[in-house]
Amino acid sequence: MEQSETPEQAPGPVANTDQRASIELDGYNSDLNFIIDKSGLAGSSHGGSIGFAYMWAGARADCGVRRGKVCFEATIANHTTIVAGLMDETPTDLLHLARFGWSMTSHDCSLGEERNSFGYGATGKSSVGKSFSDYGESFGIDDTITCYLDMESSPGTISYAKNGKHFGQAFTVVLSNDGALFPHVLLKNVGVAVNFGATPPRYPLLEGYCMMQDVESSSLQQGPVAPATFNDCSVLMMVGLPASGKSTWAQKYQQDHPEKYFNILGTNSIMEQMRVHNLARKRNYHGRFEQLMHMATKVHECLFDLSKSRK
């Protein structure tokens, strides 16, 4: 099944007003299993006993950066509970993970696994386009990661700090003139609190940088706008025999219609969200593929229910 969320309008610059932009995590530009609290400044991956603990969950902010030297903070607030007996085969240091950074907006919320998607993960790795490199230090609960973006230099640069300790340049960035990078968090069994500038930074910032919410509004770009009503949404349901090409067709249709922000609901996409060390879970699940498929099927059913209340 493929569920679409059709924006009312294309993303554009944030309106130029005297007030600072109010930036939050975007429920429209997020995975269905990413839970955002009412403040819009905290979120977590979906819990439960049916396989969600294996899945990554990502979300972007509702505004991106077009120019300037800006940053935001992300703090791991808590570890979510994993049901006893679930994930017993997973090393302890891989049970609760996060990846923070910047990306261009797209249907894919897997930070660091696409071009123009730049992440720094809790295992001390930087990643872009599914290419991982040693960077910085590992981090965990109560650690604050400051994600810096310099769009004034040529090329642009991205760097990170942990609890105020800066690790130097992680990436260079080259975007088109109308390109923008959005704050992006990716979680597995953790809760996160983000600060775009609604409160003072937890740690001193590098000279010349400001919190994202303090930059001129003309330097920001509005994210995709959700439909006004459920009547504006579209649903496509694929029907066919196993291995007949349903997923392949759906993925191509999604790529051909990026403005629609389709979510693909299916066991294949769910298992993609269960990736470990950049490998598909089914390739390193020690032969228990039937158990994995059973979990993915249960998650699939739950995502159908979650999608009913999401545009």
Side-chain angles (χ1 to χ4, degrees), residues 147-170:
C147 305
Y148 290 98
L149 173 64
D150 179 1
M151 296 284 272
E152 296 299 309
S153 61
S154 182
T157 63
I158 292 173
S159 62
Y160 299 88
K162 170 187 171 183
N163 301 331
K165 179 182 178 181
H166 189 245
F167 298 125
Q169 180 178 304

Side-chain angles (χ1 to χ4, degrees), residues 42-116:
S44 63
S45 53
H46 193 288
S49 59
I50 59 174
F52 280 107
Y54 289 94
M55 296 177 64
W56 290 94
R60 295 181 180 86
D62 56 9
C63 285
V65 179
R66 303 168 64 200
R67 63 180 71 92
K69 297 176 70 174
V70 303
C71 61
F72 74 96
E73 293 179 327
T75 302
I76 296 185
N78 59 274
H79 289 171
T80 56
T81 301
I82 300 174
V83 174
L86 198 63
M87 299 191 79
D88 284 348
E89 77 291 344
T90 303
T92 303
D93 61 343
L94 298 180
L95 290 176
H96 305 277
L97 297 173
R99 197 179 297 161
F100 305 135
W102 304 86
S103 72
M104 294 191 72
T105 187
S106 78
H107 62 268
D108 193 331
C109 290
S110 297
L111 177 63
E113 299 190 10
E114 283 192 306
R115 181 173 174 268
N116 291 325

Side-chain angles (χ1 to χ4, degrees), residues 2 236 238 245-254 256 264:
E2 191 173 352
L236 300 178
M238 307 302 299
K246 299 185 299 298
S247 295
T248 300
W249 188 93
Q251 289 166 0
K252 186 177 186 307
Y253 193 85
Q254 181 187 57
D256 291 344
I264 296 179

Side-chain angles (χ1 to χ4, degrees), residues 273-285:
Q273 285 182 255
M274 295 179 174
R275 297 178 75 86
V276 180
H277 290 312
N278 195 35
L279 296 175
R281 173 72 64 169
K282 62 185 178 182
R283 289 178 55 187
N284 56 20
Y285 204 63

Side-chain angles (χ1 to χ4, degrees), residues 147-295:
C147 305
Y148 290 98
L149 173 64
D150 179 1
M151 296 284 272
E152 296 299 309
S153 61
S154 182
T157 63
I158 292 173
S159 62
Y160 299 88
K162 170 187 171 183
N163 301 331
K165 179 182 178 181
H166 189 245
F167 298 125
Q169 180 178 304
F171 307 102
T172 58
V173 180
V174 179
L175 301 179
S176 61
N177 290 334
D178 59 348
L181 287 175
F182 289 70
H184 192 155
V185 299
L186 183 68
L187 312 177
K188 181 185 286 187
N189 302 318
V190 301
V192 65
V194 292
N195 179 20
F196 302 114
T199 60
R202 192 176 184 187
Y203 294 95
L205 305 182
L206 293 180
E207 184 177 356
Y209 285 84
C210 67
M211 297 297 286
M212 184 176 170
Q213 199 159 300
D214 293 327
V215 76
E216 293 182 3
S217 58
S218 60
S219 297
L220 301 178
Q221 178 172 298
Q222 179 69 50
V225 180
T229 70
F230 284 105
N231 289 335
D232 298 319
C233 299
S234 300
V235 175
L236 300 178
M237 178 174 288
M238 307 302 299
V239 179
L241 296 172
S244 62
K246 299 185 299 298
S247 295
T248 300
W249 188 93
Q251 289 166 0
K252 186 177 186 307
Y253 193 85
Q254 181 187 57
Q255 293 169 359
D256 291 344
H257 298 82
E259 77 287 353
K260 294 279 190 177
Y261 284 84
F262 280 102
N263 282 316
I264 296 179
L265 304 184
T267 53
N268 284 349
S269 59
I270 289 168
M271 286 190 284
E272 277 295 301
Q273 285 182 255
M274 295 179 174
R275 297 178 75 86
V276 180
H277 290 312
N278 195 35
L279 296 175
R281 173 72 64 169
K282 62 185 178 182
R283 289 178 55 187
N284 56 20
Y285 204 63
H286 308 295
R288 293 177 287 169
F289 181 74
E290 290 185 2
Q291 184 178 352
L292 176 66
M293 179 57 73
H294 176 74
M295 285 192 298

